[in-house]
């Protein structure tokens, strides 16, 4: 997990976390922070193991840690956060030693983590899409009633 620890220590990544935190400091809804990123990583890894998908752990964790890193740009410049995250992740992945092939797979997962077509996808993009959606504890959220997600999209029950 050396490359994952390099991501966490990367100056650009740390700056992204700080900017996300600053923009969401008073946000009552789900935040885009390290807790969310790790929830997505762990849920994706569990599904990967349960399905026997064989996707490398560093790819799962890299995609999960980076999938919302550019969220602050959506607040600042109205850039869709999957696009901003993909742009930021490119340099971070290169600096942390990922191969061009690995980088391409991770970036695809980041860019498509909001794409409903990924719901049934068996690869990394599908894992990240599903884990991102499952990571939200709407059933325990004090702001659930004010959230603009549809009831169908909210996690109001635990699913296995």
């Amino acid at each position: 997990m050396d490359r994952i620890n390099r991501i966490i220590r990367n100056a650009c990544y740390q700056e992204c976390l700080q900017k996300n935190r600053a923009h969401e400091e008073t946000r009552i809804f789900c935040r885009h922070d390290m807790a969310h990123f790790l929830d997505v990583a762990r849920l994706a890894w569990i599904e990967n193991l349960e399905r026997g998908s064989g996707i490398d752990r560093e790819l799962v964790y890299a995609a999960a840690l980076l999938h919302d890193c550019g969220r602050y740009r959506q607040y600042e410049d109205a850039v869709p956060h999957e696009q901003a995250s993909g742009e930021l992740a490119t340099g971070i992945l290169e600096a942390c030693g990922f191969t061009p092939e690995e980088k391409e797979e991770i970036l695809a997962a980041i860019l498509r983590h909001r794409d409903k077509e990924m719901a049934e996808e068996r690869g990394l993009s599908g894992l990240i899409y599903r884990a991102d959606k499952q990571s939200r504890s709407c059933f325990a959220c004090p702001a659930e009633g004010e959230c603009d997600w549809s009831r169908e999209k909210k996690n109001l029950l635990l699913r296995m």
Side-chain angles (χ1 to χ4, degrees):
M1 295 283 281
D2 178 57
R3 296 184 297 178
I4 299 308
N5 285 313
R6 283 192 251 164
I7 289 172
I8 291 170
R9 291 188 307 261
N10 180 277
C12 179
Y13 186 70
Q14 284 297 314
E15 184 178 340
C16 291
L17 292 176
Q18 188 175 43
K19 288 181 178 183
N20 280 354
R21 190 177 311 114
H23 281 284
E24 295 184 341
E25 192 171 38
T26 60
R27 181 179 165 95
I28 62 169
F29 303 110
C30 301
R31 294 186 180 175
H32 302 85
D33 56 12
M34 186 57 76
H36 170 59
F37 301 160
L38 288 172
D39 285 346
V40 172
R42 291 170 179 144
L43 288 166
W45 182 244
I46 290 167
E47 181 183 329
N48 181 52
L49 293 175
E50 287 178 345
R51 288 188 177 206
S53 299
I55 300 169
D56 182 80
R57 183 169 49 171
E58 283 193 316
L59 299 186
V60 171
Y61 271 75
L65 289 173
L66 294 165
H67 82 282
D68 282 338
C69 69
R71 179 67 182 201
Y72 72 90
R73 293 220 24 234
Q74 190 164 330
Y75 295 117
E76 292 177 1
D77 308 320
V79 175
H81 76 268
E82 66 275 17
Q83 179 185 330
S85 297
E87 291 168 5
L88 291 160
T90 299
I92 295 169
L93 291 167
E94 288 171 4
C96 295
F98 288 85
T99 68
E101 296 79 20
E102 290 171 326
K103 186 175 80 170
E104 185 178 323
E105 187 174 359
I106 293 165
L107 290 174
I110 292 168
L111 293 170
R112 302 203 69 192
H113 82 270
R114 297 176 70 200
D115 183 346
K116 290 179 186 175
E117 291 180 18
M118 294 297 102
E120 301 302 321
E121 169 66 35
R122 302 267 310 165
L124 180 61
S125 294
L127 283 176
I128 298 302
Y129 174 87
R130 288 185 295 279
D132 185 44
K133 305 308 168 259
Q134 294 166 358
S135 71
R136 303 308 189 172
S137 301
C138 305
F139 58 85
C141 179
E144 183 269 322
E146 299 170 61
C147 179
D148 63 2
W149 275 17
S150 67
R151 287 197 59 79
E152 294 76 34
K153 191 174 177 181
K154 291 179 181 177
N155 295 317
L156 298 173
L157 300 171
L158 288 177
R159 298 185 202 322
M160 306 284 172

